[in-house]
Amino acid sequence: MGSAKRKSSEGEEAAESDGEGKKKRRVLPSVVRNKEKRSQLYSVLKREKRIEKRKKTKAREAAEKKALELGEEPPEKKVPRTIENTREPDETVCRPDDVELFASNDTDEFNKILKQETIPKILITTCRFHSTRGPAFIKELLSVIPNAHYYKRGTYELKKIVEYAKNRDFTSIVVVHTNRREPDALLIINLPDGPTAHFKLSSLVLRKDIKNHGNPTGHKPELVLNHFTTRLGHRVGRMIQSLFPQDPFFRGRRVVTFHNQRDFIFFRHHRYIFETKETKEEDPKAKAAKADKSKSITKGRIFARLQECGPRFTLKLISLQHGTFDTKDGEFEWVHKADMDTSRRRFFL
Amino acid sequence: MPRTTMVESPGCPPLRVLTTDVLGLVKVLEVQGKVGTPKVVETWGSPDASRSVIATSFADCQTNPLLVIARKNGLIELLSPLSGETLSASKFSELGLSSFSAEEDPVAGLHLFKTKNAGLSSGINVLLICTEKGKAFLKHIPLKDASPSASTEDSCRNWDISGAGKVVCSAVDSKENYALFGGKGIELNLWNLESCSRIWTAKPPRVNSLGIFSPTFFTAATFLSKEDHRKIAAGTSNFQIRLYDISAQRRPVLSIDFRESPIRVVREGLDGNTVYIGAGIGDLASFDMRTGKLLGCFNGKCCGSIRSIAKHPELPLLASCGLDSYVRIWDSRTRRLLSAVFLKQHLTSVMFDSHFSSGVLSIEKSNSRKSSTKKSKRKHGEEDEIIESYVSPSEDEAMEMKLSLRKSSSKKKKSKTMKAKVDSLKTA
C-alpha cells in the first residue's frame, strides 16, 4: 500500500511540474501508475507535441513562401523513409541496359502472346467443391478478362484439364480455389509448357459490395502493371500480362491494375473519364463569379475521374513452378521458404 | 536508420567455375587473389534459346582440358574451357546416329572419356551419348584441326538401352568401364562399355503393406565411390534416395525418403560414403550412405530447383546451380554458404576447373593454357600457398581454412616486402 501511495504522489508531482516548465518534462506517462494522473500527463504531452508540430510546419511554409518570393530554390522537401525505399539492395533487379534480359524476354513462354502472334484464350475453372462467393467471383473474373471461358470442374484431375486445354488452344488456365466458401487461392497455368504460378488470394471484395461501383463494359481493357522490378517479378508480370489481349480499346476507358507493393499484388478494376474543370465551374455561376481569378488559371485543365468496378483483391505469390501443373514431379523456379524471411525489407517481386 | 542484418558471406578460395544456361551461354566465374566472391570473367556465346544447353561433360585434365556441350538444337560442341573457342561442332543428326530429329529425341546424357582419350595427339575424342528414347552411342569425334583421315576411320558403336520409357540420368564410373542408365519407366541398368553388354538391372522395390506400387522414375544416379563400380546411389522422383549394391542384390540395399520433392541431382563425395542431394524444391542436403543418415542440409535461401551439383576434386567445396539462376559455392564440411552469384538465366550445369592455377605445375601450365586473364598469372605464388595449406589433410576443416588464410596473408605480406626490396634494388 505504502509504496503504491508513494508512487502516485510521485506521479502527481510529475504532472504538476510538467505543467510548470519544460526542463522537468522527463517523467514519462508510462511511469505513472494512477490512470487519471497518467492520462492527464499524457494529454499535456500530446498537446505540446501538437503545438510544436504546428510550429514546425508553419516555419517550413514560411520558408517556402519566402523562397518563392525571392525567386530562390525552395528548400528541399523531405522524403519520408518507408520500407519500400529502404529496401535491401538486390542484385536481381532488372536493369534497362541488360542485354540478357531482353534476350530471355524474346524467348520465354509469353513472347508469342505479347508479340500478338496468338490471341490469349483463358480457361477458368474451380476447385472440386465451391459455392457462394466462388461462383460470384468467377462471374466477375469473366467480365474482367476478355476471351475467358468458364468450364465446370467436375471431378477431372487438373493434369487432365491441362491436356484438354492444350488441345483446344487455350493459352492459360486460371483455377480459383475455394476454402470454406471463400476464394483463397489462385492458380495460373500458362500453356502449353508452363510456368505455373500459385497465388494466395485475400481481401476479396466483390462488385456489389463496393460503394458506387460501375459496371464494366465489354471493351478490351488497358492493363497497368506497377513495380514488378526483379527478374522474378518481371516474369510474374509478363505472365499476368499474357492473360489479357495486347491491343486495348482505349475508347472503352477501362483499366485493370496489378500493383505490386511489398510483394503483395493488388488488383483493381476501374472505369475512367476525362473531364475539364471548365465545364464543371459553369454550373454554379455564383461561385464562378466569385472565384474568377482561380477560374482563369484552371480553365481547360483536364482531369480524370475514376469509378471502381470490382472485384478487388490481393494476391501473394507462393510459388512459381517450371512447366505445367505437377505437384509431385514439378520443379520450382521459386518457392517461398521460411528462411528467406529474415528481413522485412527484402522483397522478391 | 533501418535495421538490416547482412549476413556476410565468408568468400571462397581461388577457384574457377564454369556454368551453362538455357540461353546457351557458357559463363566463367573466377575468384582471384586470396579470398573473395566469384566474378563473371567471361561469357561465351550469344543468347539464343534454341542453343539451350541440355547436357555437358567436362574433362578436367591438367593439359588439354575439354568441355562437351549438347544443345537443344541437336548440336554437339567441343569447347576449350580456357579460351572458349569451339574446337568442333557437329549436328547430332548429321553424325548418322539417330533417325530422329533433335526435337523428338533430345540428348539425355553425355560423357567425355578421359582415360580412353587416346586421340589427344590425333585430335579424336571418345564420347558416350545417350538419348531420351534409349539409344546409346560411343562415338569418336575429331577436332577441327584433326586430319580428315582420322575422322574417316572412326568407329561408332551403338546399342539400345531400352525400348520403352525415357532415359533421364546416366553416369560413367571413374575408370570408365561401366555406364549406368535410368529414367522414367526404366530401371537402373549397368552396361559394360567394352563389350556393350548389359551386366546388371535393378528390380523395383517390393509393394508396400497397402499393396501400393510406385512407378519407376529415376531422376539421378551416380557411382558412389571411385574405386568401386558396384555401389550405386540413385535418386527417384518419389522422393527417395536409394543405394544399390550390384554384388549383393538387385533390389535397393537402402532407401531413404527425403522430404516431399523429387530428387534432381545426386553427386558423390570424395570419401566414397557421402552423397549430395539436390531436390526439385531447392533443398540441398548431404547423406551418409553407410547408415542412411542425413548429415545436414545446406541452408542458404535456395529457392529454385537444383539442376546441377559439382564437387571440387581437392578442396572441400561444393557448387550448386539451378532454376533460381544463382551459383552457390558451399563449404562441403561445414555446409556453410561461401558465396552466391546471380547469373540471370536458368542454369543447367556447373563445373569446377580444378587445375586453375594450382600446384607447382602452374607456371608450366600457364604456358600450355592460354589463360586469358593476366591477373591470375601474376598472383600464382600466393594462391599456391593457400591451396597447399587448404589441401593439407586435417579433420577440422573450417579452423584449418581460417588458419591457412591467416598464414597465407602473413606470407603474402612477406612476399610483398620481398618484392618491394627487389624493386628498390632494380631501381638502384
Side-chain angles (χ1 to χ4, degrees), chain A residues 81 86 88-93 98-101 103-104 107 231 235 322 327-337 339-346, chain B residues 1-6 23 25 27 47 49 217 237-239 262 264 280-283 299-305 307 323-324 326 342-346:
Chain A
R81 194 184 282 138
T86 54
E88 265 184 22
D90 192 352
E91 69 263 40
T92 66
V93 168
D98 194 349
V99 183
E100 279 182 40
L101 171 68
S104 64
T107 57
R231 287 303 282 258
R235 203 163 156 74
H322 190 72
T327 43
K328 210 180 159 218
D329 300 332
E331 280 183 285
F332 288 90
E333 284 177 29
W334 186 84
V335 201
H336 186 262
K337 282 186 180 174
D339 70 336
M340 300 192 292
D341 290 332
T342 48
S343 163
R344 43 197 299 245
R345 290 164 206 281
R346 185 182 302 133
Chain B
M1 270 304 290
R3 279 179 293 164
T4 52
T5 47
M6 291 293 284
L23 284 189
L25 302 173
K27 289 181 184 170
F217 195 163
S237 179
N238 15 349
F239 330 139
R264 284 283 146 196
I281 205 162
D283 292 325
N299 293 324
K301 305 192 184 76
C302 274
C303 51
S305 168
R307 282 281 176 91
L323 294 184
D324 60 349
Y326 272 97
F342 182 64
L343 289 183
K344 296 175 185 174
Q345 310 302 334
H346 294 168

Side-chain angles (χ1 to χ4, degrees), chain A residues 215-240:
Chain A
N215 287 318
T217 51
H219 302 111
K220 287 177 187 171
E222 298 163 43
L223 193 63
V224 179
L225 294 166
N226 279 341
H227 302 307
F228 289 92
T229 51
T230 63
R231 287 303 282 258
L232 177 72
H234 191 76
R235 203 163 156 74
V236 172
R238 279 174 75 86
M239 186 172 198
I240 291 169

Side-chain angles (χ1 to χ4, degrees), chain B residues 10 23 191 210 285 359 377 409:
Chain B
L23 284 189
W191 291 72
L210 297 173
K377 271 188 202 169
S409 64

